[in-house]
Amino acid sequence: MTFEPETPNFAERVRESLSRQAFMTYLGATLAKVAPGYCEIRMPYRPELTQQHGFFHAGAMAAVIDSACGYAAFSLMPADASVVTVEYKMNLLAPGRGDTLVARGEVIRNGRTLKICRGEGFGVRNGAETRCVEMLSTIMMLANRQDR
Amino acid sequence: MTFEPETPNFAERVRESLSRQAFMTYLGATLAKVAPGYCEIRMPYRPELTQQHGFFHAGAMAAVIDSACGYAAFSLMPADASVVTVEYKMNLLAPGRGDTLVARGEVIRNGRTLKICRGEGFGVRNGAETRCVEMLSTIMMLANRQDR
Amino acid sequence: MTFEPETPNFAERVRESLSRQAFMTYLGATLAKVAPGYCEIRMPYRPELTQQHGFFHAGAMAAVIDSACGYAAFSLMPADASVVTVEYKMNLLAPGRGDTLVARGEVIRNGRTLKICRGEGFGVRNGAETRCVEMLSTIMMLANRQDR
Amino acid sequence: MTFEPETPNFAERVRESLSRQAFMTYLGATLAKVAPGYCEIRMPYRPELTQQHGFFHAGAMAAVIDSACGYAAFSLMPADASVVTVEYKMNLLAPGRGDTLVARGEVIRNGRTLKICRGEGFGVRNGAETRCVEMLSTIMMLANRQDR
């Protein structure tokens, strides 16, 4: 799907908002790509992010995929709006294995107040991606409440 | 609901497994209570765990609530089993505000292979709890595959 | 939780709206109880409502539990609003066995635009209830759009 | 994704099992297509299947999409297995409008015991499809328990 952004500087706004999320910095997650209704975040492997078998912890993966969905939605919002996750559901499809976790979020329903998003998480090993998480989420726009 | 544990040392097993989850240590999450089919984890507030408005990040809360559910389920499993989250869904009910996040998980359906769990997250301020997350999750037992 | 309804005739409005849902009539589902933020619907057993083993079909149960959640939310809305389900997630805990399916929905977070609800389904046999479905759902108020 | 079925007569088994679901017959739902890991079910519009605005009721749509997912999973199971839905989550993306509801289910993770499925529902009007439901579900194989 292709969407029209409501602000010309949507990418700047996403980058700036993400930079203020201390938890994303703590996870080492960085913005890789943003387009209207789409966002990609990458998180390099670190031992601190693992569960008991040495793979990415589901919680760390969910956090960045939820953020990718939230910013995919935020990219379509007007300048005076902020964003909040209403809910999400995720299935683990495979262990989170690899040197990087790639999180991709895309808007599949662009409602005025609610944006429905699909998120995916991929473990990258030697350049090959394996999907390990599928997410379906509901993101809400808070109007007249600037994100700053 | 009350459940019979399959091992006498279920609490020891939960504590030991949690201690091997590097990500839980990274979040500062510690086991507060465990009973057959029940687990409580606490995570003190730190700026690294926040979103852009200074509250607990949904991702950090989800990670510990998911763990509370997983260990509630693990407490009912036999000694040679390990545990994996199949999926969860969570709703954010209120901002994650407070000096501590309390995560509670309980088994609501104790199937042999699958345990269905309910999880809740509470922000604690001045001793008063506010529920900020409701979770519903499916946890799987992997038989004959010791957790270590 | 106790809630203040926004209209004195909330029960009447729920009953009237439910009566216009042809699908609920087709399922034989009827309103059993309504209170502010709470709704109970009952569906008697009929062979047409079953899956291949003769139990209530998950789809039939989900439909009435979703409606119970939706009307629990609707009971808290003003007179000029209508209601729509945004999403739900449900877990099957046990087969839907019994002569009646009782669906209970309650609001657990009464936001202005979004109401978060918990739903449960119980199979009734010889007067004893067995919980067979647990649901967590998000219901939206459409303002200035009367339900009629 | 392409999958190898475990039985040569997988399509026959799906068709036969669906025909024993009284509730699917009651909804007027019929099998349109089955392939390994994929199933499509169609449900023609009837006034009995509607909510208060005359569109397909979410509950009726969910029931057939859940069945499409379940049979997508069942198509990959051995001859002595039966199938049960563990859980699903669905988002409503648009009103269920049209003369037919098309439900499509596909397996996105083919585990031995658990199959994770993606489901979609489309309203068809004048031959054009509008996606109105997105579903993500977990389906379980019950081994050594023939479906009959």
Side-chain angles (χ1 to χ4, degrees):
Chain A
M1 275 178 279
T2 59
F3 300 105
E4 282 300 310
E6 299 210 14
T7 59
N9 63 335
F10 66 90
E12 181 65 24
R13 294 179 69 232
V14 166
R15 187 172 304 275
E16 193 274 333
S17 176
L18 183 59
S19 75
R20 279 182 288 113
Q21 294 216 20
F23 188 55
M24 286 296 114
T25 304
Y26 194 50
L27 296 180
T30 55
L31 189 65
K33 190 178 169 187
V34 60
Y38 178 83
C39 180
E40 184 179 313
I41 296 178
R42 300 178 84 91
M43 176 172 66
Y45 178 88
R46 286 159 56 197
E48 294 92 330
L49 305 178
T50 59
Q51 30 84 296
Q52 66 268 45
H53 304 111
F55 304 137
F56 280 106
H57 194 283
M61 296 193 289
V64 293
I65 300 166
D66 172 35
S67 284
C69 289
Y71 283 118
F74 188 58
S75 74
L76 299 177
M77 294 180 187
D80 62 349
S82 64
V83 61
V84 66
T85 296
V86 173
E87 60 84 35
Y88 67 77
K89 179 258 207 289
M90 64 160 229
N91 271 78
L92 287 167
L93 308 178
R97 206 179 298 213
D99 48 74
T100 302
L101 192 281
V102 178
R104 298 195 174 101
E106 60 165 332
V107 174
I108 63 172
R109 158 73 177 151
N110 184 24
R112 201 174 57 90
T113 303
L114 298 182
K115 322 280 189 191
I116 314 303
C117 296
R118 184 186 177 200
E120 295 176 293
F122 299 86
V124 187
R125 279 199 297 180
N126 306 321
E129 295 188 352
T130 302
R131 181 166 55 172
C132 41
V133 178
E134 178 83 20
M135 182 180 281
L136 183 55
S137 70
T138 306
I139 311 288
M140 191 180 198
M141 180 180 81
L142 303 176
N144 305 317
R145 211 181 308 184
Q146 218 165 338
D147 186 57
R148 285 229 65 133
Chain B
M1 273 178 281
T2 58
F3 299 105
E4 281 300 309
E6 299 212 14
T7 59
N9 62 335
F10 66 91
E12 181 65 25
R13 294 179 69 233
V14 166
R15 188 171 302 276
E16 193 275 331
S17 178
L18 183 60
S19 75
R20 279 183 287 110
Q21 293 217 21
F23 188 54
M24 286 297 112
T25 304
Y26 194 50
L27 297 180
T30 55
L31 189 65
K33 189 177 170 189
V34 60
Y38 178 83
C39 179
E40 183 179 315
I41 296 178
R42 299 178 84 92
M43 175 173 68
Y45 178 87
R46 284 159 58 198
E48 294 91 328
L49 304 178
T50 60
Q51 31 82 297
Q52 66 268 45
H53 305 112
F55 305 137
F56 280 108
H57 194 283
M61 296 192 289
V64 294
I65 301 166
D66 173 34
S67 283
C69 288
Y71 284 117
F74 188 58
S75 74
L76 299 177
M77 294 180 187
D80 62 348
S82 63
V83 62
V84 66
T85 295
V86 173
E87 61 82 37
Y88 66 77
K89 179 258 208 288
M90 65 160 228
N91 272 77
L92 286 167
L93 307 179
R97 207 178 296 212
D99 48 75
T100 302
L101 192 281
V102 177
R104 299 195 175 100
E106 59 166 333
V107 174
I108 61 172
R109 157 73 177 151
N110 184 24
R112 200 174 55 90
T113 303
L114 299 181
K115 320 280 190 194
I116 314 303
C117 296
R118 185 186 178 200
E120 295 175 292
F122 300 85
V124 187
R125 279 198 298 179
N126 305 322
E129 295 189 351
T130 302
R131 180 165 57 172
C132 41
V133 177
E134 177 82 19
M135 182 180 281
L136 183 55
S137 71
T138 306
I139 310 289
M140 190 179 199
M141 180 181 81
L142 303 176
N144 306 315
R145 208 181 310 184
Q146 217 164 340
D147 186 57
R148 287 231 59 138
Chain C
M1 273 179 282
T2 59
F3 299 105
E4 282 300 311
E6 299 210 13
T7 59
N9 62 335
F10 66 91
E12 181 64 25
R13 295 180 68 234
V14 166
R15 187 171 305 274
E16 193 275 331
S17 177
L18 182 61
S19 75
R20 280 182 287 112
Q21 294 217 20
F23 189 54
M24 286 297 112
T25 304
Y26 194 50
L27 297 180
T30 55
L31 189 65
K33 189 177 170 189
V34 61
Y38 177 83
C39 180
E40 184 178 313
I41 297 178
R42 299 178 84 91
M43 175 173 66
Y45 178 88
R46 285 159 57 198
E48 295 91 328
L49 305 177
T50 59
Q51 29 85 295
Q52 66 268 45
H53 304 111
F55 304 136
F56 280 107
H57 195 283
M61 296 193 289
V64 294
I65 301 167
D66 173 34
S67 283
C69 288
Y71 284 117
F74 188 59
S75 74
L76 298 177
M77 294 180 188
D80 62 348
S82 64
V83 62
V84 66
T85 295
V86 173
E87 60 84 35
Y88 67 76
K89 178 257 208 289
M90 63 159 229
N91 271 77
L92 287 167
L93 308 179
R97 207 177 299 212
D99 48 74
T100 303
L101 192 281
V102 178
R104 298 195 175 102
E106 60 166 332
V107 174
I108 61 172
R109 157 74 178 150
N110 184 24
R112 200 173 57 89
T113 304
L114 299 181
K115 320 280 190 194
I116 314 303
C117 297
R118 185 186 177 199
E120 295 175 292
F122 300 84
V124 187
R125 279 198 298 179
N126 306 321
E129 296 189 351
T130 302
R131 180 165 57 172
C132 42
V133 177
E134 176 83 19
M135 182 180 282
L136 183 55
S137 71
T138 306
I139 310 290
M140 191 179 197
M141 179 181 81
L142 302 176
N144 306 316
R145 209 181 308 184
Q146 219 165 340
D147 186 56
R148 286 230 63 137
Chain D
M1 274 178 281
T2 58
F3 299 104
E4 281 301 309
E6 298 210 15
T7 59
N9 62 336
F10 66 91
E12 181 64 25
R13 294 179 69 232
V14 167
R15 187 172 304 276
E16 193 274 333
S17 176
L18 183 60
S19 75
R20 279 182 287 112
Q21 295 217 20
F23 188 54
M24 286 296 112
T25 304
Y26 195 50
L27 296 180
T30 54
L31 189 66
K33 189 178 169 188
V34 60
Y38 177 83
C39 180
E40 185 179 313
I41 296 178
R42 300 178 83 91
M43 175 172 66
Y45 178 88
R46 285 159 57 197
E48 294 91 329
L49 305 178
T50 59
Q51 31 84 295
Q52 66 267 47
H53 304 112
F55 304 136
F56 280 108
H57 195 283
M61 296 194 289
V64 293
I65 301 167
D66 173 34
S67 283
C69 289
Y71 284 118
F74 189 58
S75 74
L76 299 178
M77 294 179 187
D80 62 349
S82 64
V83 61
V84 66
T85 296
V86 173
E87 60 84 35
Y88 67 76
K89 180 256 207 287
M90 65 160 227
N91 272 77
L92 287 168
L93 308 179
R97 206 177 298 211
D99 47 75
T100 303
L101 192 281
V102 178
R104 299 196 174 100
E106 60 166 332
V107 174
I108 62 173
R109 157 73 177 150
N110 184 23
R112 200 174 56 90
T113 304
L114 298 181
K115 322 279 189 192
I116 315 303
C117 295
R118 185 186 177 199
E120 294 175 293
F122 300 85
V124 187
R125 279 199 297 180
N126 306 321
E129 295 189 353
T130 301
R131 180 165 57 172
C132 42
V133 178
E134 177 83 19
M135 182 180 281
L136 183 55
S137 70
T138 306
I139 310 290
M140 191 179 198
M141 180 180 82
L142 303 176
N144 306 316
R145 209 182 308 184
Q146 217 165 338
D147 186 57
R148 285 231 65 136

